[in-house]
Amino acid sequence: MTTHLTDLAHLPMHRIHHLWDAEPGWLDTASYGLPPRHAHTELTRVLDQWRRGSTDWTPWEDYTHRARHAFATLVAAPPTDITIGATASQLLSMLAAALPPGTTVLAPEIEFTSNLFPWAVSATLRTVPPDHLAESIDASTGVVAFSLVQSATGQIAPAADIIAAARHHGALVVADASQACGWLPIDATRFDVLVCAAYKWLMSPRGAAYAYLSPRAREHMRPIAANWYAGADPGGSYYGPPLRLAPDARAFDLSPAWFCQAGAAPAIETLNAIGIDRVHAHNTALAARFQTALGQQPTGSAIVTVEIPDARRRLAAAGVRAAVRAGKVRASFHIYTTDADVDLALNALT
Ligand SMILES: Cc1ncc(COP(=O)(O)O)c(C=O)c1O
């Protein structure tokens, strides 16, 4: 039976779970997310066209358009402020590389390096404990860069405090939403830049990433990977000068990785169709049940860590795939995670 995306908002959760083919025990969306079956089917269909040469590439263009619009809807921003790229770090590099020499970038010390290394290459990077980020912003801060949800701990950043302090001191606010977008409701327009790698919570192939670039941020950026696709009229930008880039965030586009976009568009549209509030409620309820059963206070995040002796072996023996670092289990819960997945992990750990 075919399920139309328009039906998803009202479909009971057990029917939504049937859109995926997840094997029991996948608790590692913080590493990579699983595509809904119809996204995989769509990608396979396009790969088959490629294999057989049954079409030119122009029909594949539509996936990039759809993905840009779906991402814009997801983060409540105008599509004209959304750019498409390949990785979070690549998108951040376009701002980092254009910063005036000596600019200080402030970031949490436990930040994932895709949101540290681009700054360290091009600016003066200062790191502080994550809980001290907002209060550490001062007149010397040119940019404050942080993950909305920390990769290592699942901690949700106090975005309102950070934004308020940054606005007070005139610093640009850059958020990495790679571990947040897709389960945490987000209004990207509160930030100057918001980047997201799509292969985790957006359940897309590795190689697609999106960013909200505010008009203010774009004034500080250089389209260092300028290309025909970023042209005001891509079809009229194949050959010869002059430089003629799009007037909006498209000027920063990479020419699209067709097959990544073919998987990404239907996956992001699926999240929008289910509704991000519903995804958020589902994911955090499962995470809270997991934490409570292990004697912890729920943190309100879809990514949680717990310290359990011998966790790696116990989870592996039960067939649970979760990240384990230095004895700490990092478990992550997404829309396709079921109660049975949580029970499998709890039985292994308790
Ligand atoms: C917070 C965060 N940002 C970005 C990434 C991936 O970055 P990139 O797309 O540059 O590989 C990860 C991967 O784990 C991450 O956790």
Side-chain angles (χ1 to χ4, degrees):
M1 186 178 55
T2 311
T3 302
H4 296 287
L5 287 189
T6 44
D7 300 335
L8 295 187
H10 306 291
L11 212 61
M13 198 51 76
H14 71 272
R15 301 260 319 268
I16 287 190
H17 284 151
H18 286 154
L19 299 179
W20 277 266
D21 295 311
E23 289 177 14
W26 181 254
L27 294 185
D28 204 8
T29 300
S31 291
Y32 72 85
L34 312 184
R37 189 182 313 107
H38 57 271
H40 182 267
T41 304
E42 193 71 18
L43 170 58
T44 309
R45 193 179 66 80
V46 172
L47 287 173
D48 205 48
Q49 292 175 333
W50 175 51
R51 182 170 65 87
R52 292 183 295 119
S54 58
T55 172
D56 68 18
W57 53 269
T58 46
W60 304 338
E61 283 290 283
D62 190 45
Y63 293 112
T64 308
H65 176 77
R66 280 172 51 189
R68 188 194 313 273
H69 281 253
F71 183 76
T73 301
L74 190 66
V75 299
T80 47
D81 288 341
I82 303 298
T83 190
I84 64 146
T87 65
S89 40
Q90 171 260 319
L91 290 163
L92 292 166
S93 298
M94 287 192 288
L95 174 59
L99 292 174
T103 301
T104 296
V105 178
L106 183 71
E109 61 195 8
I110 63 162
E111 190 72 12
F112 190 80
T113 48
S114 284
N115 191 22
L116 286 184
F117 286 1
W119 310 115
V121 165
S122 300
T124 304
L125 177 64
R126 184 178 158 228
T127 57
V128 294
D131 291 338
H132 294 177
L133 191 64
E135 70 204 44
S136 303
I137 299 169
D138 59 24
S140 72
T141 310
V143 175
V144 56
F146 64 101
S147 282
L148 274 187
V149 174
Q150 278 298 332
S151 160
T153 61
Q155 189 183 358
I156 302 173
D161 295 348
I162 297 167
I163 292 168
R167 297 289 174 237
H168 181 72
H169 291 289
L172 286 173
V173 184
V174 177
D176 179 345
S178 301
Q179 295 288 11
C181 207
W183 70 267
L184 192 67
I186 290 173
D187 175 356
T189 63
R190 298 164 72 205
F191 307 92
D192 294 302
V193 170
L194 180 137
V195 303
C196 178
Y199 68 98
K200 299 173 185 292
W201 300 89
L202 303 189
M203 310 173 302
S204 302
R206 184 95 161 98
Y210 306 94
Y212 163 76
L213 305 177
S214 68
R216 176 184 178 219
R218 300 205 295 267
E219 285 171 17
H220 295 265
M221 296 176 62
R222 281 178 61 211
I224 51 175
N227 61 84
W228 66 274
Y229 187 78
D233 167 21
S237 306
Y238 293 157
Y239 302 110
L243 180 65
R244 45 194 187 282
L245 294 179
D248 57 17
R250 274 209 316 106
F252 297 88
D253 280 3
L254 289 188
S255 25
W258 294 316
F259 309 125
C260 295
Q261 301 297 336
I268 305 171
E269 286 166 354
T270 303
L271 287 171
N272 286 332
I274 295 169
I276 199 65
D277 289 334
R278 193 165 177 212
V279 178
H280 175 257
H282 173 80
N283 296 8
T284 53
L286 290 183
R289 188 160 82 75
F290 183 73
Q291 288 183 299
T292 307
L294 294 173
Q296 286 190 355
Q297 280 293 341
T299 48
S301 181
I303 304 174
V304 305
T305 56
V306 285
E307 206 157 349
I308 308 268
D310 204 17
R312 182 191 296 273
R313 190 195 55 76
R314 290 161 74 173
L315 286 173
V320 175
R321 284 90 69 216
V324 182
R325 301 214 173 89
K328 277 198 169 185
V329 179
R330 184 189 69 179
S332 37
F333 307 83
H334 204 5
I335 188 66
Y336 42 72
T337 315
T338 63
D339 274 317
D341 293 321
V342 178
D343 289 340
L344 201 61
L346 286 174
N347 288 340
L349 294 174
T350 53

mmCIF file of all heavy atoms in Angstrom, residues 104 106 126 128 130-146 158-174 190-192 216:
data_model
loop_
_atom_site.group_PDB
_atom_site.id
_atom_site.type_symbol
_atom_site.label_atom_id
_atom_site.label_comp_id
_atom_site.label_asym_id
_atom_site.label_seq_id
_atom_site.Cartn_x
_atom_site.Cartn_y
_atom_site.Cartn_z
ATOM 1 N N THR A 104 38.525 37.248 16.020
ATOM 2 C CA THR A 104 38.453 36.206 17.048
ATOM 3 C C THR A 104 37.129 35.459 16.925
ATOM 4 O O THR A 104 36.059 36.072 16.858
ATOM 5 C CB THR A 104 38.566 36.812 18.461
ATOM 6 O OG1 THR A 104 39.858 37.404 18.592
ATOM 7 C CG2 THR A 104 38.406 35.745 19.534
ATOM 8 N N LEU A 106 34.871 32.597 18.840
ATOM 9 C CA LEU A 106 34.687 31.951 20.139
ATOM 10 C C LEU A 106 33.833 30.711 19.947
ATOM 11 O O LEU A 106 32.799 30.764 19.263
ATOM 12 C CB LEU A 106 33.984 32.933 21.083
ATOM 13 C CG LEU A 106 33.766 32.472 22.516
ATOM 14 C CD1 LEU A 106 35.090 32.432 23.279
ATOM 15 C CD2 LEU A 106 32.776 33.399 23.227
ATOM 16 N N ARG A 126 39.261 30.909 19.908
ATOM 17 C CA ARG A 126 39.287 30.875 21.378
ATOM 18 C C ARG A 126 38.198 29.914 21.835
ATOM 19 O O ARG A 126 37.047 30.024 21.379
ATOM 20 C CB ARG A 126 39.011 32.285 21.899
ATOM 21 C CG ARG A 126 39.101 32.422 23.382
ATOM 22 C CD ARG A 126 38.859 33.868 23.837
ATOM 23 N NE ARG A 126 38.458 33.845 25.221
ATOM 24 C CZ ARG A 126 37.433 34.491 25.743
ATOM 25 N NH1 ARG A 126 36.698 35.289 24.993
ATOM 26 N NH2 ARG A 126 37.132 34.373 27.012
ATOM 27 N N VAL A 128 36.102 27.852 25.049
ATOM 28 C CA VAL A 128 35.748 27.938 26.477
ATOM 29 C C VAL A 128 34.831 26.760 26.801
ATOM 30 O O VAL A 128 34.244 26.160 25.882
ATOM 31 C CB VAL A 128 35.019 29.275 26.799
ATOM 32 C CG1 VAL A 128 35.954 30.460 26.604
ATOM 33 C CG2 VAL A 128 33.759 29.439 25.958
ATOM 34 N N PRO A 130 31.542 24.747 27.401
ATOM 35 C CA PRO A 130 30.260 25.053 26.746
ATOM 36 C C PRO A 130 29.307 25.864 27.623
ATOM 37 O O PRO A 130 28.592 26.742 27.133
ATOM 38 C CB PRO A 130 29.674 23.678 26.406
ATOM 39 C CG PRO A 130 30.584 22.666 26.967
ATOM 40 C CD PRO A 130 31.858 23.306 27.366
ATOM 41 N N ASP A 131 29.327 25.621 28.934
ATOM 42 C CA ASP A 131 28.401 26.343 29.817
ATOM 43 C C ASP A 131 28.787 27.813 29.984
ATOM 44 O O ASP A 131 28.017 28.598 30.534
ATOM 45 C CB ASP A 131 28.344 25.666 31.196
ATOM 46 C CG ASP A 131 27.666 24.313 31.108
ATOM 47 O OD1 ASP A 131 26.899 24.116 30.137
ATOM 48 O OD2 ASP A 131 27.918 23.452 31.972
ATOM 49 N N HIS A 132 29.996 28.177 29.560
ATOM 50 C CA HIS A 132 30.462 29.565 29.736
ATOM 51 C C HIS A 132 30.456 30.348 28.426
ATOM 52 O O HIS A 132 31.011 31.446 28.360
ATOM 53 C CB HIS A 132 31.885 29.578 30.329
ATOM 54 C CG HIS A 132 31.934 29.028 31.720
ATOM 55 N ND1 HIS A 132 33.096 28.878 32.444
ATOM 56 C CD2 HIS A 132 30.957 28.577 32.517
ATOM 57 C CE1 HIS A 132 32.826 28.346 33.620
ATOM 58 N NE2 HIS A 132 31.529 28.155 33.688
ATOM 59 N N LEU A 133 29.842 29.777 27.402
ATOM 60 C CA LEU A 133 29.961 30.409 26.080
ATOM 61 C C LEU A 133 29.334 31.807 26.065
ATOM 62 O O LEU A 133 29.996 32.784 25.673
ATOM 63 C CB LEU A 133 29.311 29.511 25.006
ATOM 64 C CG LEU A 133 29.591 29.929 23.572
ATOM 65 C CD1 LEU A 133 31.079 29.808 23.243
ATOM 66 C CD2 LEU A 133 28.779 29.088 22.576
ATOM 67 N N ALA A 134 28.094 31.915 26.490
ATOM 68 C CA ALA A 134 27.398 33.211 26.390
ATOM 69 C C ALA A 134 28.137 34.295 27.173
ATOM 70 O O ALA A 134 28.369 35.402 26.668
ATOM 71 C CB ALA A 134 25.960 33.067 26.889
ATOM 72 N N GLU A 135 28.545 33.965 28.401
ATOM 73 C CA GLU A 135 29.187 34.991 29.245
ATOM 74 C C GLU A 135 30.605 35.332 28.772
ATOM 75 O O GLU A 135 31.173 36.344 29.194
ATOM 76 C CB GLU A 135 29.218 34.525 30.714
ATOM 77 C CG GLU A 135 30.180 33.383 30.971
ATOM 78 C CD GLU A 135 29.827 32.561 32.199
ATOM 79 O OE1 GLU A 135 28.638 32.231 32.397
ATOM 80 O OE2 GLU A 135 30.760 32.244 32.964
ATOM 81 N N SER A 136 31.170 34.503 27.894
ATOM 82 C CA SER A 136 32.531 34.773 27.406
ATOM 83 C C SER A 136 32.540 35.671 26.170
ATOM 84 O O SER A 136 33.609 36.079 25.701
ATOM 85 C CB SER A 136 33.238 33.453 27.065
ATOM 86 O OG SER A 136 33.252 32.607 28.179
ATOM 87 N N ILE A 137 31.372 35.960 25.621
ATOM 88 C CA ILE A 137 31.309 36.842 24.447
ATOM 89 C C ILE A 137 31.567 38.274 24.903
ATOM 90 O O ILE A 137 30.962 38.742 25.872
ATOM 91 C CB ILE A 137 29.919 36.739 23.770
ATOM 92 C CG1 ILE A 137 29.668 35.297 23.299
ATOM 93 C CG2 ILE A 137 29.799 37.717 22.601
ATOM 94 C CD1 ILE A 137 28.238 35.016 22.856
ATOM 95 N N ASP A 138 32.508 38.939 24.242
ATOM 96 C CA ASP A 138 32.777 40.336 24.601
ATOM 97 C C ASP A 138 33.091 41.137 23.339
ATOM 98 O O ASP A 138 32.934 40.632 22.220
ATOM 99 C CB ASP A 138 33.911 40.429 25.644
ATOM 100 C CG ASP A 138 35.209 39.815 25.135
ATOM 101 O OD1 ASP A 138 35.380 39.735 23.891
ATOM 102 O OD2 ASP A 138 36.051 39.417 25.958
ATOM 103 N N ALA A 139 33.565 42.351 23.529
ATOM 104 C CA ALA A 139 33.777 43.251 22.387
ATOM 105 C C ALA A 139 34.840 42.721 21.428
ATOM 106 O O ALA A 139 34.877 43.118 20.251
ATOM 107 C CB ALA A 139 34.174 44.635 22.896
ATOM 108 N N SER A 140 35.699 41.801 21.905
ATOM 109 C CA SER A 140 36.747 41.261 21.017
ATOM 110 C C SER A 140 36.231 40.100 20.165
ATOM 111 O O SER A 140 36.949 39.600 19.297
ATOM 112 C CB SER A 140 37.932 40.764 21.860
ATOM 113 O OG SER A 140 37.573 39.573 22.533
ATOM 114 N N THR A 141 34.999 39.651 20.391
ATOM 115 C CA THR A 141 34.469 38.481 19.684
ATOM 116 C C THR A 141 33.890 38.903 18.326
ATOM 117 O O THR A 141 32.940 39.691 18.278
ATOM 118 C CB THR A 141 33.352 37.791 20.511
ATOM 119 O OG1 THR A 141 33.823 37.591 21.844
ATOM 120 C CG2 THR A 141 32.938 36.469 19.893
ATOM 121 N N GLY A 142 34.459 38.379 17.250
ATOM 122 C CA GLY A 142 33.918 38.675 15.926
ATOM 123 C C GLY A 142 32.805 37.719 15.539
ATOM 124 O O GLY A 142 31.820 38.093 14.913
ATOM 125 N N VAL A 143 33.007 36.445 15.929
ATOM 126 C CA VAL A 143 32.043 35.386 15.597
ATOM 127 C C VAL A 143 31.922 34.475 16.803
ATOM 128 O O VAL A 143 32.931 34.139 17.436
ATOM 129 C CB VAL A 143 32.538 34.536 14.392
ATOM 130 C CG1 VAL A 143 31.597 33.367 14.122
ATOM 131 C CG2 VAL A 143 32.705 35.392 13.138
ATOM 132 N N VAL A 144 30.693 34.068 17.139
ATOM 133 C CA VAL A 144 30.530 32.978 18.107
ATOM 134 C C VAL A 144 29.951 31.806 17.337
ATOM 135 O O VAL A 144 28.965 31.948 16.597
ATOM 136 C CB VAL A 144 29.673 33.387 19.325
ATOM 137 C CG1 VAL A 144 28.301 33.901 18.927
ATOM 138 C CG2 VAL A 144 29.529 32.218 20.295
ATOM 139 N N ALA A 145 30.627 30.647 17.436
ATOM 140 C CA ALA A 145 30.241 29.460 16.656
ATOM 141 C C ALA A 145 30.016 28.300 17.621
ATOM 142 O O ALA A 145 30.881 28.019 18.463
ATOM 143 C CB ALA A 145 31.343 29.113 15.659
ATOM 144 N N PHE A 146 28.881 27.633 17.490
ATOM 145 C CA PHE A 146 28.570 26.548 18.436
ATOM 146 C C PHE A 146 27.560 25.586 17.815
ATOM 147 O O PHE A 146 26.794 25.959 16.923
ATOM 148 C CB PHE A 146 27.999 27.119 19.740
ATOM 149 C CG PHE A 146 26.683 27.825 19.565
ATOM 150 C CD1 PHE A 146 25.496 27.191 19.905
ATOM 151 C CD2 PHE A 146 26.625 29.104 19.031
ATOM 152 C CE1 PHE A 146 24.268 27.827 19.716
ATOM 153 C CE2 PHE A 146 25.404 29.734 18.836
ATOM 154 C CZ PHE A 146 24.222 29.100 19.179
ATOM 155 N N PRO A 158 22.191 26.850 25.095
ATOM 156 C CA PRO A 158 21.253 27.925 25.456
ATOM 157 C C PRO A 158 21.299 29.023 24.392
ATOM 158 O O PRO A 158 21.895 30.090 24.587
ATOM 159 C CB PRO A 158 21.798 28.404 26.813
ATOM 160 C CG PRO A 158 23.252 28.080 26.774
ATOM 161 C CD PRO A 158 23.436 26.896 25.872
ATOM 162 N N ALA A 159 20.664 28.758 23.251
ATOM 163 C CA ALA A 159 20.813 29.623 22.072
ATOM 164 C C ALA A 159 20.357 31.051 22.365
ATOM 165 O O ALA A 159 20.999 32.011 21.909
ATOM 166 C CB ALA A 159 20.044 29.028 20.897
ATOM 167 N N ALA A 160 19.272 31.200 23.117
ATOM 168 C CA ALA A 160 18.745 32.561 23.357
ATOM 169 C C ALA A 160 19.784 33.416 24.080
ATOM 170 O O ALA A 160 19.991 34.593 23.735
ATOM 171 C CB ALA A 160 17.453 32.486 24.152
ATOM 172 N N ASP A 161 20.451 32.837 25.081
ATOM 173 C CA ASP A 161 21.471 33.598 25.842
ATOM 174 C C ASP A 161 22.658 33.947 24.945
ATOM 175 O O ASP A 161 23.206 35.053 25.003
ATOM 176 C CB ASP A 161 21.990 32.764 27.020
ATOM 177 C CG ASP A 161 20.900 32.488 28.031
ATOM 178 O OD1 ASP A 161 19.835 33.126 27.938
ATOM 179 O OD2 ASP A 161 21.113 31.615 28.893
ATOM 180 N N ILE A 162 23.069 32.981 24.135
ATOM 181 C CA ILE A 162 24.238 33.201 23.262
ATOM 182 C C ILE A 162 23.913 34.290 22.240
ATOM 183 O O ILE A 162 24.711 35.205 22.007
ATOM 184 C CB ILE A 162 24.639 31.875 22.570
ATOM 185 C CG1 ILE A 162 25.068 30.842 23.615
ATOM 186 C CG2 ILE A 162 25.758 32.108 21.555
ATOM 187 C CD1 ILE A 162 25.175 29.417 23.093
ATOM 188 N N ILE A 163 22.718 34.201 21.649
ATOM 189 C CA ILE A 163 22.321 35.198 20.644
ATOM 190 C C ILE A 163 22.236 36.582 21.285
ATOM 191 O O ILE A 163 22.732 37.574 20.721
ATOM 192 C CB ILE A 163 20.972 34.802 20.000
ATOM 193 C CG1 ILE A 163 21.143 33.537 19.154
ATOM 194 C CG2 ILE A 163 20.416 35.941 19.150
ATOM 195 C CD1 ILE A 163 19.832 32.892 18.701
ATOM 196 N N ALA A 164 21.655 36.670 22.486
ATOM 197 C CA ALA A 164 21.508 37.978 23.145
ATOM 198 C C ALA A 164 22.874 38.607 23.411
ATOM 199 O O ALA A 164 23.093 39.802 23.131
ATOM 200 C CB ALA A 164 20.727 37.817 24.445
ATOM 201 N N ALA A 165 23.808 37.796 23.923
ATOM 202 C CA ALA A 165 25.148 38.328 24.219
ATOM 203 C C ALA A 165 25.858 38.740 22.929
ATOM 204 O O ALA A 165 26.532 39.777 22.873
ATOM 205 C CB ALA A 165 25.967 37.285 24.970
ATOM 206 N N ALA A 166 25.698 37.932 21.882
ATOM 207 C CA ALA A 166 26.365 38.242 20.606
ATOM 208 C C ALA A 166 25.794 39.518 19.998
ATOM 209 O O ALA A 166 26.546 40.369 19.496
ATOM 210 C CB ALA A 166 26.200 37.071 19.641
ATOM 211 N N ARG A 167 24.485 39.676 20.052
ATOM 212 C CA ARG A 167 23.867 40.891 19.488
ATOM 213 C C ARG A 167 24.360 42.113 20.264
ATOM 214 O O ARG A 167 24.629 43.164 19.675
ATOM 215 C CB ARG A 167 22.333 40.807 19.556
ATOM 216 C CG ARG A 167 21.728 39.677 18.735
ATOM 217 C CD ARG A 167 21.828 39.934 17.221
ATOM 218 N NE ARG A 167 21.377 38.773 16.450
ATOM 219 C CZ ARG A 167 22.110 38.122 15.549
ATOM 220 N NH1 ARG A 167 23.346 38.491 15.284
ATOM 221 N NH2 ARG A 167 21.616 37.105 14.879
ATOM 222 N N HIS A 168 24.484 41.972 21.576
ATOM 223 C CA HIS A 168 24.927 43.091 22.413
ATOM 224 C C HIS A 168 26.330 43.564 22.013
ATOM 225 O O HIS A 168 26.615 44.766 22.014
ATOM 226 C CB HIS A 168 24.904 42.651 23.882
ATOM 227 C CG HIS A 168 25.314 43.719 24.838
ATOM 228 N ND1 HIS A 168 24.502 44.807 25.124
ATOM 229 C CD2 HIS A 168 26.460 43.901 25.545
ATOM 230 C CE1 HIS A 168 25.129 45.605 25.969
ATOM 231 N NE2 HIS A 168 26.324 45.084 26.239
ATOM 232 N N HIS A 169 27.195 42.585 21.658
ATOM 233 C CA HIS A 169 28.584 42.938 21.338
ATOM 234 C C HIS A 169 28.842 42.987 19.829
ATOM 235 O O HIS A 169 29.993 43.164 19.406
ATOM 236 C CB HIS A 169 29.537 41.931 21.997
ATOM 237 C CG HIS A 169 29.568 42.040 23.497
ATOM 238 N ND1 HIS A 169 30.144 43.106 24.163
ATOM 239 C CD2 HIS A 169 29.060 41.235 24.454
ATOM 240 C CE1 HIS A 169 30.016 42.935 25.467
ATOM 241 N NE2 HIS A 169 29.357 41.819 25.679
ATOM 242 N N GLY A 170 27.816 42.795 19.022
ATOM 243 C CA GLY A 170 27.979 42.908 17.563
ATOM 244 C C GLY A 170 28.670 41.731 16.914
ATOM 245 O O GLY A 170 29.189 41.859 15.796
ATOM 246 N N ALA A 171 28.705 40.570 17.579
ATOM 247 C CA ALA A 171 29.359 39.385 16.992
ATOM 248 C C ALA A 171 28.381 38.637 16.086
ATOM 249 O O ALA A 171 27.176 38.630 16.341
ATOM 250 C CB ALA A 171 29.837 38.446 18.104
ATOM 251 N N LEU A 172 28.912 38.007 15.044
ATOM 252 C CA LEU A 172 28.082 37.141 14.199
ATOM 253 C C LEU A 172 27.802 35.831 14.934
ATOM 254 O O LEU A 172 28.681 35.308 15.638
ATOM 255 C CB LEU A 172 28.803 36.822 12.888
ATOM 256 C CG LEU A 172 28.890 37.935 11.831
ATOM 257 C CD1 LEU A 172 29.790 37.471 10.673
ATOM 258 C CD2 LEU A 172 27.507 38.311 11.311
ATOM 259 N N VAL A 173 26.594 35.308 14.759
ATOM 260 C CA VAL A 173 26.204 34.067 15.444
ATOM 261 C C VAL A 173 26.106 32.944 14.415
ATOM 262 O O VAL A 173 25.292 33.006 13.489
ATOM 263 C CB VAL A 173 24.842 34.233 16.148
ATOM 264 C CG1 VAL A 173 24.501 32.966 16.924
ATOM 265 C CG2 VAL A 173 24.848 35.444 17.055
ATOM 266 N N VAL A 174 26.942 31.916 14.586
ATOM 267 C CA VAL A 174 26.985 30.795 13.652
ATOM 268 C C VAL A 174 26.632 29.513 14.396
ATOM 269 O O VAL A 174 27.301 29.152 15.373
ATOM 270 C CB VAL A 174 28.390 30.662 13.023
ATOM 271 C CG1 VAL A 174 28.449 29.446 12.101
ATOM 272 C CG2 VAL A 174 28.748 31.932 12.259
ATOM 273 N N ARG A 190 16.991 33.311 13.432
ATOM 274 C CA ARG A 190 17.538 33.917 14.663
ATOM 275 C C ARG A 190 19.060 34.015 14.586
ATOM 276 O O ARG A 190 19.683 34.750 15.339
ATOM 277 C CB ARG A 190 17.196 33.053 15.880
ATOM 278 C CG ARG A 190 15.715 32.897 16.151
ATOM 279 C CD ARG A 190 15.482 31.740 17.092
ATOM 280 N NE ARG A 190 15.909 32.045 18.456
ATOM 281 C CZ ARG A 190 16.270 31.120 19.349
ATOM 282 N NH1 ARG A 190 16.294 29.848 19.025
ATOM 283 N NH2 ARG A 190 16.648 31.471 20.561
ATOM 284 N N PHE A 191 19.652 33.223 13.689
ATOM 285 C CA PHE A 191 21.115 33.154 13.602
ATOM 286 C C PHE A 191 21.582 33.931 12.366
ATOM 287 O O PHE A 191 20.777 34.254 11.496
ATOM 288 C CB PHE A 191 21.556 31.690 13.494
ATOM 289 C CG PHE A 191 21.000 30.820 14.593
ATOM 290 C CD1 PHE A 191 19.798 30.139 14.422
ATOM 291 C CD2 PHE A 191 21.649 30.712 15.809
ATOM 292 C CE1 PHE A 191 19.269 29.362 15.444
ATOM 293 C CE2 PHE A 191 21.125 29.933 16.842
ATOM 294 C CZ PHE A 191 19.930 29.258 16.655
ATOM 295 N N ASP A 192 22.886 34.194 12.292
ATOM 296 C CA ASP A 192 23.420 34.778 11.058
ATOM 297 C C ASP A 192 23.683 33.682 10.040
ATOM 298 O O ASP A 192 23.417 33.861 8.850
ATOM 299 C CB ASP A 192 24.692 35.567 11.369
ATOM 300 C CG ASP A 192 24.364 36.782 12.238
ATOM 301 O OD1 ASP A 192 23.547 37.611 11.807
ATOM 302 O OD2 ASP A 192 24.877 36.866 13.368
ATOM 303 N N ARG A 216 22.775 39.581 6.124
ATOM 304 C CA ARG A 216 23.890 40.216 6.847
ATOM 305 C C ARG A 216 25.163 39.369 6.750
ATOM 306 O O ARG A 216 26.252 39.892 6.487
ATOM 307 C CB ARG A 216 23.498 40.416 8.322
ATOM 308 C CG ARG A 216 24.620 40.974 9.168
ATOM 309 C CD ARG A 216 24.234 41.064 10.635
ATOM 310 N NE ARG A 216 25.334 41.562 11.439
ATOM 311 C CZ ARG A 216 25.645 41.109 12.645
ATOM 312 N NH1 ARG A 216 24.937 40.145 13.195
ATOM 313 N NH2 ARG A 216 26.656 41.615 13.306
#
